[in-house]
Amino acid sequence: MGPELGHVAAIAAFVLSCLLTLAGLIGGARNDGTLLRLSQSLTVGQWTFAVLSFVFLALAFLNDDFTVAYVAENSNSQLPDHFKISAVWGAHEGSFLVWIVIMASWMLAVALRGGDLPADFRGRVLGVLGLLQSGFLAFLLFTSNPFERLVPLAPAEGADLNPLLQDVGLIFHPPILYTGYVGFSVAFAFALAALMTGRLDAAWARWSRPWTNVAWAFLTVGIALGSWWAYYELGWGGWWFWDPVENASFMPWLAGTALVHSLAVTEKRGTFKSWTLLLALTAFSLSLLGAFIVRSGVLTSVHAFAVDPTRGLFILVFLLIVVGGSLLLYALRASTIQSSVRYTLLSREAFMLVNNLLLVVSLAAVLYGTLHPLIYEALSGGQKSSVGAPYFNAVFVPLMVLLALALGTAPVLRWKDTSTGLLWQSLRWVALAAVGLGLVVPWVVTGALAWQVVLTVALGLWIALSQLKDWWRVGLRRARLAYVGMACAHLGFAACLLGAGLTTQLSVERDLRFEPGQSHTVAGYRFEFEGTDAVTGPNYLADQGTFNVFRDDQLLFTLTPEKRRYLARNSVMTEAAIDAGIWRDLYVSLGEPLDPNNGVWAVRIQVKPMVRWIWSGAGLMALGVCWRFSTDAIGVAGCALRTPRRKMLPTREIARERLPWTAKLALRWPDRDAL
């Protein structure tokens, strides 16, 4: 009965989303208070039924209800309970239901936290979101129903979850990634509402910016988690493969990064309005394109969910309607968008524009490389083609070098105009220190000077030192919260750049043959192989190797990689053993048994310097972008809780005393030109 109730709940959510579309758009157009209030109630209702639908599907997994086709295909009675829950989004149908629940949650947040918005504007935003949600629910109900029964021929046992997904990464990565993906729908809805109402001033950017920042932060963390998951789970030791599905999440991130910066300029300076609107439409459109790539099967990927042409056609039509309709409205309204702000080439506005152009060109390069196989196959009459890492590295890396140079220059620039004397005075010592340390540090650490390593270190230090110098100039205590967030985000980018560049250039990888008792030395570490032992897991059998790691004949630690065979699917998986550190990772993975009778194995050993900086830097970027949003929320909530209603903020002075220290810090000093 539970799956049927879940199906009914999904249908109810679809009906309420359709009604929300009508109530929000019509109520906003007519400024009808009754319809606008109804749109909020409908938002709460569709969220409730979407969550109920998810709960009933999760219960089917926990209860091993193999009469449900989706459960039978992706679970097993021996599967641990925490993996049964994550198996809900381990394949296409359930993952899209999670997408819908997350979308409903964003809509609920807008309805409950959008009280400062004009009622008609908020109604239009909810109407647009309701339209998108109606399309997603229609896709679920008509092409991807997770509640279909296998009666009367239900299996006694499930096929089990894909072994690749039986990992803690599945628990966190997809929901966080989807939160970022779907979060850009709010920026998309704000942009369309602004175009509908004609409110094309800086106000809509101010309303949209916090939502966009949070969505971008979630997408950043989601991509970083996916990279980390692939690094330790797939056994190959890489952190990015330029896979089509990886690119599908990376393209909205590039557009979102440009959007976050452009919104800041539009809010503060009233310029880039047209550009910002277009970026808001592009970011979510690319999220939909990513859904099409992942779920249509048009491109082959280890991460892809589905290969059903019917599903792909549905998403493609929906994508064309959403993107085409939004671009048509933009084209009709673009001529009314005006900006009279003037600035010189040496100004913060100009460098923000350069930053955006570099990001968009990078996005175009990734988009072309991702879709090239489809385009070539269509034009060549079915011949196959592929684009790999050499293309992406050759095009993308130079653009990121230019972006890093611009990013290190931006902190010292002023709005409208900056004198060349101030620029030279502010950056000459930073440039000298970055170049000098870029030469000295690689020589001291590696004993050699490879130009790629020198360039990586110099660029990372250029960004970090420039930002830290400006932070010192402002004063550590005087820095506004928004400025602190910006500085953290830029320092996070520098950390990512250093981690990605150095681990790419300095990693050591060896494929070796090991007999029990034999040892090999790699990058100064001696790995001694003791042999393998049989290990029994909850739903797998494994050969577990034991490697003692020495340095200067001193035992440091023991690593135990595994080669697992999952019983239900009879599939073999590699579980790498990693000793993680700030400065390097030691990575050991078992290959194939070369001589099973004598315990001889092929083993891959890798030493990867500073690889953790990639994911730590991504986390720092996300934290920085969310910093202002979270502290403002804490300040408002604290003020509301601590101040009597009848005496709410009678004067600026009293309000200042009742705010928590974080908000006082933001109000105490004069406003600064910080993003």
Side-chain angles (χ1 to χ4, degrees):
M1 188 63 181
E4 284 71 27
L5 292 175
H7 192 191
V8 170
I11 294 172
F14 172 69
V15 173
L16 293 179
S17 295
C18 293
L19 293 175
L20 172 61
T21 303
L22 296 174
L25 295 179
I26 295 175
R30 297 179 178 177
N31 202 15
D32 187 320
T34 302
L35 288 177
L36 293 175
R37 287 189 295 273
L38 178 61
S39 66
Q40 290 185 277
S41 300
L42 291 170
T43 302
V44 176
Q46 64 86 29
W47 175 83
T48 302
F49 283 110
V51 171
L52 282 174
S53 184
F54 171 82
V55 168
F56 282 119
L57 183 59
L59 288 174
F61 272 88
L62 288 173
N63 295 329
D64 295 327
D65 188 353
F66 300 127
T67 65
V68 179
Y70 183 68
V71 177
E73 292 168 0
N74 298 284
S75 186
N76 187 277
S77 61
Q78 301 301 314
L79 192 66
D81 285 347
H82 58 284
F83 287 148
K84 288 181 180 178
I85 293 295
S86 60
V88 175
W89 54 83
H92 167 67
E93 291 85 350
S95 69
F96 207 78
L97 179 58
V98 172
W99 175 296
I100 287 168
V101 171
I102 293 172
M103 178 75 178
S105 300
W106 276 105
M107 295 165 65
L108 181 68
V110 173
L112 297 181
R113 301 290 298 172
D116 294 337
L117 300 173
D120 63 323
F121 189 90
R122 182 176 56 188
R124 283 187 167 94
V125 170
L126 291 176
V128 172
L129 292 173
L131 178 62
L132 296 173
Q133 182 76 320
S134 299
F136 296 148
L137 281 162
F139 177 71
L140 180 84
L141 292 170
F142 298 129
T143 72
S144 309
N145 182 10
F147 299 103
E148 288 184 355
R149 292 277 196 178
L150 289 173
V151 289
L153 302 176
E157 186 58 273
D160 202 9
L161 180 65
N162 185 335
L164 277 173
L165 305 179
Q166 295 185 35
D167 186 84
V168 67
L170 178 66
I171 299 175
F172 300 105
H173 165 59
I176 293 175
L177 186 73
Y178 292 170
T179 302
Y181 258 155
V182 178
F184 283 131
S185 66
V186 179
F188 178 86
F190 271 86
L192 285 186
L195 290 169
M196 292 176 189
T197 60
R199 287 191 177 96
L200 301 174
D201 53 9
W204 77 268
R206 183 172 64 254
W207 299 332
S208 176
R209 190 179 176 191
W211 303 96
T212 306
N213 286 354
V214 174
W216 183 89
F218 271 104
L219 186 59
T220 301
V221 174
I223 292 173
L225 282 174
S227 169
W228 169 68
W229 184 14
Y231 167 74
Y232 76 81
E233 175 64 19
L234 296 181
W236 65 300
W239 54 274
W240 195 259
F241 192 65
W242 292 110
D243 180 89
V245 174
E246 290 177 335
N247 296 345
S249 62
F250 190 47
M251 290 186 291
W253 185 86
L254 290 170
T257 305
L259 175 60
V260 165
H261 290 82
S262 191
L263 278 169
V265 179
T266 300
E267 178 188 351
K268 288 183 173 293
R269 304 296 300 161
T271 190
F272 294 4
K273 297 174 186 175
S274 179
W275 178 247
T276 305
L277 282 166
L278 187 58
L279 285 173
L281 302 180
T282 301
F284 183 64
S285 298
L286 289 170
S287 295
L288 290 181
L289 178 63
F292 171 72
I293 290 174
V294 173
R295 300 172 190 278
S296 64
V298 296
L299 291 172
T300 302
S301 167
V302 69
H303 308 283
F305 273 126
V307 293
D308 188 344
T310 303
R311 295 168 178 170
L313 181 61
F314 189 106
I315 298 179
L316 181 60
V317 171
F318 184 66
L319 175 66
L320 293 175
I321 292 173
V322 171
V323 176
S326 60
L327 291 179
L328 177 61
L329 181 59
Y330 175 81
L332 294 174
R333 291 282 192 175
S335 60
T336 65
I337 306 173
Q338 296 181 352
S339 176
S340 58
V341 177
R342 297 180 179 275
Y343 52 87
T344 66
L345 292 177
L346 278 182
S347 65
R348 180 163 291 191
E349 292 94 333
F351 269 69
M352 294 293 281
L353 182 60
V354 170
N355 166 82
N356 279 3
L357 289 175
L358 288 171
L359 288 169
V360 170
V361 172
S362 302
L363 164 62
V366 176
L367 179 63
Y368 172 77
T370 304
L371 298 183
H372 173 79
L374 288 178
I375 299 171
Y376 183 83
E377 184 176 356
L379 296 179
S380 64
Q383 297 182 25
K384 301 292 183 180
S385 175
S386 63
V387 175
Y391 161 79
F392 290 105
N393 292 334
V395 175
F396 189 79
V397 171
L399 292 170
M400 290 300 100
V401 169
L402 295 176
L403 182 65
L405 290 172
L407 192 58
T409 307
V412 304
L413 295 173
R414 300 291 180 264
W415 297 113
K416 293 186 178 181
D417 185 34
T418 306
S419 67
T420 54
L422 175 63
L423 189 65
W424 170 249
Q425 182 179 359
S426 301
L427 292 179
R428 56 181 178 178
W429 295 112
V430 172
L432 182 62
V435 173
L437 291 173
L439 291 169
V440 172
V441 172
W443 176 261
V444 172
V445 173
T446 67
L449 287 179
W451 69 268
Q452 298 96 330
V453 177
V454 171
L455 180 62
T456 299
V457 175
L459 286 175
L461 292 175
W462 163 252
I463 298 171
L465 293 175
S466 173
Q467 190 62 67
L468 291 173
K469 180 181 183 300
D470 192 60
W471 200 344
W472 179 264
R473 182 185 66 81
V474 173
L476 298 180
R477 294 188 60 193
R478 295 185 59 196
R480 292 179 59 229
L481 295 177
Y483 179 85
V484 173
M486 177 198 72
C488 286
H490 290 174
L491 290 173
F493 181 84
C496 280
L497 187 152
L498 286 169
L502 294 180
T503 196
T504 299
Q505 298 298 326
L506 299 178
S507 290
V508 177
E509 179 179 322
R510 298 279 302 278
D511 291 318
L512 301 167
R513 180 183 184 275
F514 274 92
E515 299 177 5
Q518 187 177 14
S519 63
H520 290 282
T521 300
V522 179
Y525 294 92
R526 182 165 63 86
F527 296 82
E528 182 182 86
F529 181 47
E530 289 189 357
T532 58
D533 297 308
V535 175
T536 302
N539 59 342
Y540 64 84
L541 300 175
D543 291 311
Q544 184 183 82
T546 301
F547 291 83
N548 296 319
V549 182
F550 297 82
R551 186 151 199 174
D552 298 328
D553 293 327
Q554 180 181 357
L555 177 64
L556 301 179
F557 44 80
T558 299
L559 296 177
T560 55
E562 295 181 1
K563 181 70 75 170
R564 294 179 178 177
R565 181 172 64 86
Y566 286 83
L567 303 176
R569 291 178 178 252
N570 196 30
S571 55
V572 178
M573 292 294 302
T574 297
E575 291 292 321
I578 305 172
D579 179 69
I582 297 176
W583 301 108
R584 61 96 185 101
D585 275 14
L586 296 184
Y587 189 105
V588 179
S589 56
L590 290 176
E592 298 299 324
L594 301 179
D595 186 355
N597 295 328
N598 295 314
V600 181
W601 285 80
V603 178
R604 173 169 292 181
I605 296 176
Q606 301 181 65
V607 180
K608 308 189 79 63
M610 295 178 67
V611 68
R612 302 274 154 179
W613 286 46
I614 300 171
W615 308 306
S616 301
L620 189 58
M621 284 194 288
L623 177 65
V625 169
C626 282
W627 186 271
R628 179 180 180 180
F629 176 83
S630 60
T631 49
D632 286 350
I634 292 171
V636 172
C639 183
L641 289 172
R642 298 161 68 179
T643 307
R645 190 174 188 84
R646 55 190 171 85
K647 296 181 180 179
M648 181 71 76
L649 305 181
T651 65
R652 180 176 178 85
E653 289 73 20
I654 296 176
R656 194 184 292 267
E657 291 304 315
R658 289 173 178 167
L659 286 171
W661 73 269
T662 52
K664 291 178 186 177
L665 186 65
L667 293 171
R668 190 175 298 163
W669 292 281
D671 186 25
R672 187 186 183 280
D673 293 335
L675 297 179

